[in-house]
Amino acid sequence: MEEPAAYTVVTLGPSGAGKTVYLAALWQTLKVHHPGLLCHLSLDDVRKENRLEEVFRQVADPGPDWPPSTLPGDIPEWVFSCKVISPHGQFTAMKVRYIDYAGESLTGVRDGGASQEFVDTLREADALLGLLDGRRILEMMRGESDFLDQMSRTFLLMQNSTGPIHFVITKWDLLAGHYTLEQIRERLMRHPHFSSLVASRRTWKTRRMAVPPGRIRLLPVSSVGLEFAFLDSTGEMRKRANRRPEPYNVDLAFGAVLPDLLARAYEVAAEERRRTGAGATAGSRGAIRRTFTAGVATPLSALLSSRGIQVPVHMLAGFLTATSSLAGRALDVPPSELRKARRLQRSFRRRSVNAVRDDMSAAHFVLHRTVRLLNDVEQRPENRGTRLT
């Protein structure tokens, strides 16, 4: 079976925000079986795996040094495969390609020197991961920094992307106990460019979908945990003695990507079907879903690709087929495809990894687990403010 294509997520943040450390913490958290998502990550490139291991080793080392920032001009790419193990074998649910831009790219943006390559990459990305330096956020909350003004041009550039945008507040350990996520959200929303970016997505309405397309989220994350580091009297980040880093919420930002991207892909495709009227009455979502189950996943994937949205065919087919309870009833579906659709539906309802038999059902299984994780997180009082749109 053909390997799933990779979603592209561009990570953005000023120098020192902790982008590479975040990816290293993500790797440490998900390289082994995750008890909530019931999956794990792998890296095909052993050299990059060793690089992330080295970064996290430097973080955990009791010495005073921290890993160096990404060098100017260096744009590392990390392709993670999300794997699910079931009684029937190991399957690849999805791949996520992270592009880690150096903080100097944003400095160039502020100085009016953003390269065309940088702008094009933002526009073509499937999703953006904006890292907001928790230390700078702390200064902002205390009235000691114009951090948001420095990020203003970046917020404007983000408007060119129609995919999900997830803002990650790094170094949450510096903020926890002093400010709530809701307080920080309110402060961010007072900045005209940040609030305009959020408002531009609020007009995107989606009925009957758990996650609207192009969603913007605000996620509190600490790559080292809540008790590992502190700011000393000179303003330097120090490591506490006899403590181990215990990453906090790094899996959340990864898990949020999948349902947001699939929901966006569904809405764009549905709108295209309504516009052309092909195979369904315009505006009839039920008819649109039934048309999807007739085996149009491959041309639909090509259509989405032409509009800048990369969705693996197997994942799109599994998601769209399983969302229709009418599969096989109103359409002349081959028996083998009907059995596959019913298996996917049973897998979704039972939430059982035992039903994962191929990459397609693995993708659908992980989709369900990530939606469940997001719902659980958003219902906690301390996470009020996570969802911006």
Side-chain angles (χ1 to χ4, degrees):
M1 180 180 292
E2 183 180 352
E3 278 284 291
Y7 292 114
T8 298
V9 179
V10 175
T11 62
L12 298 169
S15 181
K19 298 184 299 300
T20 306
V21 172
Y22 165 78
L23 292 176
L26 175 66
W27 170 246
Q28 289 296 316
T29 302
L30 286 172
K31 69 179 181 180
V32 295
H33 185 74
H34 189 280
L37 297 176
L38 300 185
C39 63
H40 68 276
L41 297 183
S42 69
L43 276 166
D44 296 335
D45 192 327
V46 175
R47 294 170 300 175
K48 293 190 175 182
E49 179 179 324
N50 293 338
R51 169 61 179 151
L52 292 183
E53 292 285 354
E54 174 62 18
V55 168
F56 201 78
R57 186 198 65 76
Q58 292 175 336
V59 169
D61 188 279
D65 296 333
W66 296 88
S69 300
T70 304
L71 296 176
D74 187 14
I75 309 175
E77 295 186 9
W78 315 84
V79 179
F80 295 97
S81 296
C82 179
K83 303 283 188 176
V84 176
I85 300 177
S86 80
H88 308 286
Q90 178 172 271
F91 305 100
T92 302
M94 63 182 297
K95 290 188 174 186
V96 180
R97 171 175 168 252
Y98 284 91
I99 300 180
D100 178 12
Y101 265 96
E104 284 72 10
S105 298
L106 297 186
T107 302
V109 169
R110 291 197 301 270
D111 296 339
S115 68
Q116 188 62 48
E117 178 189 7
F118 178 67
V119 173
D120 290 343
T121 301
L122 293 185
R123 183 182 298 112
E124 296 169 4
D126 295 301
L128 301 181
L129 188 65
L131 273 66
L132 304 177
D133 190 336
R135 180 172 177 177
R136 306 293 299 278
I137 293 289
L138 179 63
E139 295 171 353
M140 177 193 72
M141 296 299 291
R142 292 173 173 174
E144 302 169 354
S145 168
D146 60 349
F147 172 60
L148 291 183
D149 287 339
Q150 298 171 11
M151 293 286 293
S152 182
R153 176 61 176 160
T154 305
F155 298 148
L156 296 180
L157 282 173
M158 284 180 165
Q159 290 185 138
N160 293 324
S161 171
T162 56
I165 299 175
H166 295 167
F167 287 102
V168 168
I169 301 177
T170 64
K171 307 172 188 175
W172 184 250
D173 44 306
L174 300 181
L175 295 157
H178 300 285
Y179 300 97
T180 66
L181 184 63
E182 193 169 18
Q183 287 174 322
I184 294 172
R185 175 189 181 278
E186 291 175 356
R187 176 63 183 86
L188 291 171
M189 291 298 293
R190 291 206 299 268
H191 192 275
H193 290 164
F194 186 88
S195 60
S196 294
L197 175 62
V198 174
S200 69
R201 302 300 179 88
R202 285 182 172 162
T203 58
W204 298 13
K205 302 297 183 183
T206 309
R207 295 176 295 174
R208 302 183 183 180
M209 290 295 293
V211 185
R215 168 152 287 167
I216 299 180
R217 298 181 186 274
L218 183 65
L219 307 171
V221 168
S222 174
S223 297
V224 299
L226 302 182
E227 301 292 336
F228 181 75
F230 66 98
L231 278 176
D232 66 13
S233 58
T234 66
E236 293 294 323
M237 289 291 297
R238 301 294 183 186
K239 304 173 186 179
R240 287 190 170 93
N242 302 318
R243 295 296 181 105
R244 296 179 63 254
E246 298 179 359
Y248 172 78
N249 269 0
V250 294
D251 51 343
L252 185 60
F254 175 81
V257 169
L258 176 57
D260 283 359
L261 283 172
L262 283 176
R264 172 182 173 241
Y266 178 90
E267 181 66 11
V268 170
E271 180 60 34
E272 183 70 15
R273 304 296 298 186
R274 288 193 295 270
R275 186 183 65 80
T276 62
T281 302
S284 172
R285 289 176 179 270
I288 290 169
R289 286 197 299 272
R290 290 195 297 272
T291 301
F292 284 152
T293 64
V296 299
T298 298
L300 178 59
S301 180
L303 166 66
L304 295 173
S305 295
S306 69
R307 301 185 65 165
I309 305 171
Q310 301 300 321
V311 183
V313 172
H314 78 283
M315 188 177 293
L316 186 63
F319 178 68
L320 297 175
T321 300
T323 57
S324 175
S325 62
L326 300 177
R329 296 184 193 175
L331 299 164
D332 183 17
V333 180
S336 61
E337 293 301 314
L338 181 57
R339 286 194 297 271
K340 184 181 296 185
R342 287 173 175 168
R343 187 170 69 242
L344 284 168
Q345 291 167 354
R346 289 196 298 270
S347 172
F348 189 80
R349 289 198 302 269
R350 293 202 309 261
R351 310 174 185 179
S352 172
V353 73
N354 294 335
V356 175
R357 297 173 178 267
D358 51 27
D359 290 347
M360 182 163 55
S361 54
H364 191 78
F365 176 76
V366 173
L367 169 66
H368 172 80
R369 301 301 300 187
T370 55
V371 170
R372 182 177 179 180
L373 173 67
L374 287 171
N375 288 339
D376 289 346
V377 167
E378 290 173 352
Q379 290 173 6
R380 299 173 192 166
E382 67 270 21
N383 288 327
R384 291 182 61 185
T386 299
R387 189 181 296 182
L388 299 181
T389 58

